Amino acid sequence: MPDFKKLFLVLLADDDADDSMLFANAVNDVEIPIQLSHADDGQQLLKFLKDHQQPDIIFLDLNMPFKNGFECLKDIRKNEQYNKVPIIIYSTSGDKNDIERSYREGANFYVIKPNSYSGIVAMLDKVCNMYLKDTPPPASREVFVMKFPLLK
């Protein structure tokens, strides 16, 4: 196992209990030491950001009650304190309009929720490893959408 200097702080905003449980379980199967926090909706997400240490990365579902993912993305991106936090849209939607809007509004990547546990683990491993460096990769249109599991 690689030597990591700190816990990687991950915040998941997702109202689907089953998806959130699978995500939390997958965190345990990634080699990176992750401290996972969870928000059930957009309002909880924004409150969490005000009340806690800034996460290293946010996984953001689009379809949530009270404040949807697009509204949260917009609010986070206009707040200078959180403007640089990587935001990965984590959605079941593969709709090109959702993808384009996410890109325009400042998401770093768009992940269509994997349909297998191993896909979630592969996704977490890939995304978190990308952000272990201080400089996040640019979100170019060519690589904006990630699909898992990755075929080897």
Side-chain angles (χ1 to χ4, degrees), residues 9-140:
L9 304 177
V10 172
L11 175 56
L12 171 66
D14 194 333
D15 66 317
D16 186 293
D18 292 334
D19 287 350
S20 297
M21 182 186 68
L22 283 172
F23 192 99
N25 289 339
V27 161
N28 296 321
D29 287 332
V30 174
E31 286 190 17
I32 300 164
I34 295 173
Q35 178 180 325
L36 178 65
S37 297
H38 180 256
D40 286 322
D41 61 55
Q43 286 179 340
Q44 280 185 12
L45 166 64
L46 296 175
K47 182 171 178 10
F48 181 93
L49 289 174
K50 288 179 187 172
D51 296 344
H52 295 85
Q53 181 179 350
Q54 181 171 303
D56 293 306
I57 192 167
I58 298 170
F59 287 87
L60 178 60
D61 187 25
L62 292 179
N63 300 311
M64 296 185 296
F66 306 115
K67 208 170 198 39
N68 69 39
F70 291 119
E71 294 167 318
C72 291
L73 178 59
K74 190 176 277 189
D75 286 350
I76 293 167
R77 285 299 179 234
K78 68 182 177 186
N79 183 330
E80 288 214 15
Q81 184 177 356
Y82 306 110
N83 195 349
K84 302 286 187 208
V85 174
I87 299 175
I88 311 302
I89 300 301
Y90 186 65
S91 179
T92 56
S93 171
D95 182 79
K96 66 180 182 179
N97 294 321
D98 288 344
I99 293 168
E100 178 61 28
R101 183 174 175 192
S102 298
Y103 181 82
R104 277 193 331 266
E105 294 190 9
N108 294 81
F109 288 98
Y110 192 104
V111 172
I112 297 171
K113 288 182 180 180
N115 59 8
S116 70
Y117 182 77
S118 62
I120 298 169
V121 173
M123 179 275 303
L124 274 168
D125 186 62
K126 179 175 174 89
V127 171
C128 290
N129 270 299
M130 286 187 328
Y131 285 99
L132 280 173
K133 300 176 182 88
D134 289 335
T135 307
S140 68

